[in-house]
Amino acid sequence: MTTFFTSCILLLMVTGAMAQGTIKGMVKDSVRDEPLYGATVILKDAEGKPAKIVIADLGDYSMTAPAGNYKIEVTYTGYAKFSQAVTLENGKETVLNINTAEEVDMLQQVTVTTTRSGTALAKTTISVDVVSPDLVGNTNATKVDEVVDKVPGVTIVDGQANIRGGSGYSYGAGSRVLLLVDDLPLLTGDAGIPNWRDIPVENISQIEVVKGAASALYGSSALNGIINIRTAYATKKPFTKVSIFQTSFGTPKRAETAWWQYPSIEVWNAETNDTSAQDDVTPQLLSGTNGYRKPVELGVQFAHRRQIKKFDLTLGGNYFYQDSYRAGQYERKFRINANTRYRFTEKVNAGVNVNFNTGTSASFFIWGNQMPYVHILGTPIQGQKIDTAIYIPLAGTITENNTLRFNVDPFFTAYDNKGGRHRVQSRFYYVNNQNQQNQSNQSQLVYGEYQYQRKFKIESEFFGDFKLVSGIVGMYTHSNSQLYGNAQYDIANAAVYIQGEQGLFKEKDSENSKLNIAFGARLEYNSIKSPGEVIVNPKVNSSTGVPDLVSNPDSLSQEAKPVFRVGLNYEITPITFLRASWGQGYRYPTIAERYITTQIGSGSNSLAIRANPSLQSETGFSTEIGIKQGFKIGKFKGFLDVSGFWTEYQNMMEFTFGGGKPESTDLNNIYFQSINVGDTRIRGIEASVMGTGTVGPVKFNVLTGYTFISPEFKNWDNDSVRTNIQSLSTSDQNVLKYRSTHTFKFDLEAFFLKEALSVGVSFNYTSQVNNIDKVFEDIIYDDPNDLLFQGPDDIFGIGYYRENYNSGESFLLGARVGYRYVINDSDGKEKAAVKLSVVGNNLLNQEYMIRPALVGAPINFAVRLDVEF
């Protein structure tokens, strides 16, 4: 009897085993032909309930379930949901390889910057804006900052980015906004500034802008936020694109300011910087002295991407030619880049990315818009105001450069058997700027990082998945430059960081968590090794004929600080997300901020920029609460985002008037430098709308937003502090310098005729800049050797211009139209395409001042031709 029952049990077990079926396969990106590591695969029964759930850690999955009819679903952040009916047969193995593409829904767009791993835009714990690469080409942006400037809350001032008023204006040194290209920093090692011309505009897949302190993950320069440029990837189908363009500039509203409109004009000699040596220039297109020709911009660029078996190749190149509307300013730049990757297996890949940029250029620092005075019998009498030289440089302020920059970025990525990702990435970044005014600088930066990521599957009805990101970073820069007193400087940075993201309140029969909490920490070490004696004042000693050396108070400066962040995101409904975040920030001075020593201009007009070896680091925090509401109008999907933010800085660094007496009759007493201005606070609100989709037969892309900021000093109630601040500022109110209270940005593009015809319109409004350095309006010009042109104040005419013409307020209207003609093959698939575009900027021809003594471009039009095949 026992034998009989045992046999029955064994028979039932065998029968049960035979009644099982298996399904397995690989989940891949349908365009890149790459595994989607960490995709969720769900097998649902006839009633729609999950029978099996697995994570495709390395892209592959396998599930065994009782024979029968099922539905298999695949979800992956940022990708369209895959669903297909399947049948499992007794004892059989079914192979189903799944291909899915990135989702168009903007709420599901993936951002990697905030967590260093993929997170849906709707579920981020901090404000992030994602910009499509289409906006780059459609607006004929020759540099990435021209597109980033369209993002709500972001302002680009003379090439320097600030987010929500977190920075003012700093001349060529330091940035609180970290620029990344494919998650690697691209700020110069010595000055800590971005070179926007280095970024391959022809090969961009996405631009991500993080608003708020991100030092916990990215370190010192991410105090105010991050701009991350993600380059395009190679695809199975080869892609090639060639673009050419020309931009022409119209006559400004005040025609008399257009120096290039006259048959002959006298301008200062750019080579000798001598006010007595003038050139008679006849401006004409592509002939004559560099920078003194009729304004024009020309360019050609190409992109090529393809997969060659296991080898991925992305190539790009760009040549940019400019003679500026600012006399003496020009660019001749050539750049080429290559991204390579070899996939040894599905788990291991490695590659090297290379970018090379060289050329010549001349930069325009300050106009020649001076206020002359005539002396008659020793009595100063005001002469006629020169208010038309806004596009002509002050003598000696044109700086010509021969530039060579390149970076080489090796990387290695491997996945272990538990789904963990190990990544080593590195960069060598070389910068060499040579000029004839003792302002050359050269630096070599070496960067290395090891990073580990893993998604932990938690079997719980309450806890969702846990994501871990951790790493170790090292960076070293060496510089020996004229800008820093012809001395050697070495700056080093090392850090360890960790961040976790935990899901809570898991939804029934789903992998989605209603609440996501992120928390991170970073310990950062910084040091600068500098000479025991440094040059602080670039002005020569009349006795020795050379600048004086002074003792360096801290020739080996070392500092280590921890920073922390925490954030949460709660899904109120499937299209409504509430978020809150708090993050600390920390920024260490760059070599340039502490040790730059130079002068701008020539003769008695020159302004000194002095070193400040005692400059200290700054710290701060940024906190935010916001809500993201999705909406749908027909097939148009988008979201409304509203947030309130509060940022504080302790010991804030600013480049400002450093000392001297503006009422003096000798400009040798006037200088600027980076100093610690005290504790500051910036509060504000922001509302933005982003969306894409069709309404009827027309497709629309929308990006718009309004930002209000209240930037102020925290210790304004202290009488002595307030008096000192007011003595340096043009405003008596408690407001930080070089900020606009209100900004509004709008960009709309519509596509007609099956998306062949595109029409776009944009406008940016920036309110006036209420406060600048008071010294700009108070400087006296009184050269005893010049008996004619002397006078009491406002030598540069900045105060006069702000009062009578423009104080920084601008309303810039732009429009564009393009037509794309498609050539199909015999199967009806697109084989090639040609697009012709016309882009107009500043269509109201407004005259506006970007920052003191720098006026923006008049009305201009670009014609662009794109050929794809």
Side-chain angles (χ1 to χ4, degrees), residues 251-521:
T251 303
K253 184 168 292 186
R254 290 193 295 147
E256 62 270 26
T257 66
W259 58 271
W260 60 90
Q261 297 288 358
Y262 303 102
S264 179
I265 188 170
E266 292 183 342
V267 294
W268 304 124
N269 188 292
E271 296 179 359
T272 64
N273 294 301
D274 185 355
T275 60
S276 63
Q278 300 175 1
D279 287 339
D280 288 330
V281 177
T282 301
Q284 48 189 306
L285 188 64
L286 305 183
S287 65
T289 306
N290 283 344
Y292 294 98
R293 307 171 181 177
K294 184 176 181 180
V296 68
E297 292 181 358
L298 305 168
V300 57
Q301 62 189 39
F302 77 92
H304 178 73
R305 303 189 287 270
R306 69 185 305 154
Q307 291 181 346
I308 308 170
K309 295 184 178 179
K310 293 186 175 183
F311 181 70
D312 297 347
L313 176 65
T314 299
L315 296 174
N318 177 288
Y319 178 75
F320 180 74
Y321 178 104
Q322 178 206 60
D323 276 299
S324 177
Y325 51 90
R326 300 182 184 124
Q329 179 173 302
Y330 68 90
E331 277 193 80
R332 314 279 190 263
K333 292 291 180 64
F334 171 74
R335 173 183 46 75
I336 189 167
N337 62 279
N339 290 5
T340 66
R341 182 180 64 166
Y342 187 79
R343 291 168 285 156
F344 296 95
T345 67
E346 298 290 0
K347 297 182 180 181
V348 180
N349 64 76
V352 179
N353 300 335
V354 179
N355 193 10
F356 178 90
N357 191 337
T358 186
T360 61
S361 64
S363 58
F364 181 112
F365 177 70
I366 190 170
W367 63 25
N369 213 36
Q370 291 182 278
M371 171 81 80
Y373 282 75
V374 177
H375 277 224
I376 299 178
L377 300 177
T379 303
I381 299 176
Q382 185 173 354
Q384 183 180 3
K385 178 72 186 75
I386 300 178
D387 55 8
T388 60
I390 57 175
Y391 294 127
I392 297 177
L394 182 69
T397 62
I398 290 291
T399 302
E400 293 190 288
N401 289 286
N402 292 304
T403 301
L404 171 62
R405 296 191 297 266
F406 67 85
N407 57 276
V408 181
D409 309 336
F411 65 89
F412 172 82
T413 304
Y415 292 83
D416 59 35
N417 292 328
K418 295 183 178 180
R421 189 184 84 161
H422 304 262
R423 183 171 177 84
V424 177
Q425 49 189 4
S426 57
R427 166 165 289 163
F428 175 75
Y429 187 22
Y430 177 83
V431 177
N432 190 350
N433 297 315
Q434 297 293 324
N435 66 52
Q436 304 301 317
Q437 297 186 25
N438 296 318
Q439 294 176 339
S440 299
N441 69 300
Q442 185 226 48
S443 65
Q444 304 96 40
L445 179 150
V446 180
Y447 177 94
E449 178 179 5
Y450 164 76
Q451 183 187 108
Y452 175 74
Q453 288 188 25
R454 185 177 172 187
K455 181 179 179 181
F456 293 87
K457 174 72 175 176
I458 299 178
E459 299 295 341
S460 169
E461 295 182 357
F462 178 78
F463 290 100
D465 296 335
F466 176 75
K467 295 180 181 178
L468 173 69
V469 179
S470 61
I472 182 170
V473 178
M475 184 166 59
Y476 167 78
T477 298
H478 173 77
S479 177
N480 187 352
S481 307
Q482 292 176 329
L483 271 177
Y484 317 128
N486 283 311
Q488 293 190 22
Y489 296 88
D490 298 276
I491 185 167
N493 169 277
V496 292
Y497 63 87
I498 186 169
Q499 177 165 293
E501 187 174 351
Q502 177 64 61
L504 300 173
F505 306 124
K506 185 189 295 184
E507 294 180 324
K508 186 178 181 181
D509 298 334
S510 171
E511 291 300 292
N512 182 54
S513 297
K514 301 284 284 185
L515 177 66
N516 287 287
I517 300 176
F519 44 89

Side-chain angles (χ1 to χ4, degrees), residues 563-582:
V563 289
F564 303 92
R565 74 170 297 258
V566 63
L568 60 87
N569 182 297
Y570 184 73
E571 181 182 326
I572 301 174
T573 75
I575 58 172
T576 307
F577 300 84
L578 180 68
R579 69 179 182 276
S581 66
W582 174 87

Side-chain angles (χ1 to χ4, degrees), residues 131-200:
V131 181
S132 164
D134 293 338
L135 194 59
V136 179
N138 293 347
T139 59
N140 192 44
T142 63
K143 296 184 297 181
V144 174
D145 58 329
E146 297 170 11
V147 176
V148 172
D149 198 37
K150 294 180 178 293
V151 176
V154 180
T155 304
I156 307 293
V157 180
D158 199 14
Q160 296 179 343
N162 82 75
I163 297 175
R164 293 174 172 175
S167 301
Y169 170 70
S170 174
Y171 174 63
S175 175
R176 294 188 184 91
V177 177
L178 179 60
L179 176 65
L180 301 172
V181 176
D182 291 330
D183 302 327
L184 283 171
L186 197 66
L187 298 178
T188 58
D190 56 347
I193 59 173
N195 286 308
W196 300 102
R197 195 67 73 190
D198 288 352
I199 300 172

Side-chain angles (χ1 to χ4, degrees), residues 583-661:
Q584 288 181 306
Y586 163 57
R587 191 168 79 87
Y588 192 71
T590 64
I591 296 174
E593 286 175 302
R594 270 192 177 172
Y595 296 107
I596 187 171
T597 174
T598 187
Q599 50 189 320
I600 297 169
S602 62
S604 58
N605 280 337
S606 64
L607 292 176
I609 297 177
R610 293 189 184 182
N612 184 5
S614 300
L615 187 67
Q616 301 299 307
S617 63
E618 62 183 2
T619 57
F621 72 85
S622 177
T623 186
E624 176 193 40
I625 184 168
I627 187 168
K628 193 180 293 289
Q629 176 64 54
F631 62 85
K632 183 178 180 181
I633 303 174
K635 294 183 179 181
F636 181 88
K637 293 182 179 180
F639 61 80
L640 166 68
D641 190 288
V642 180
S643 61
F645 53 89
W646 185 310
T647 300
E648 291 193 7
Y649 296 116
Q650 289 77 48
N651 222 22
M652 188 179 195
M653 291 184 281
E654 279 202 343
F655 179 79
T656 184
F657 171 62
K661 298 179 179 180

Side-chain angles (χ1 to χ4, degrees), residues 22-35:
T22 299
I23 185 169
K24 69 177 185 178
M26 178 75 70
V27 183
K28 287 188 175 184
D29 181 303
S30 59
V31 177
R32 304 186 213 187
D33 194 31
E34 293 179 350

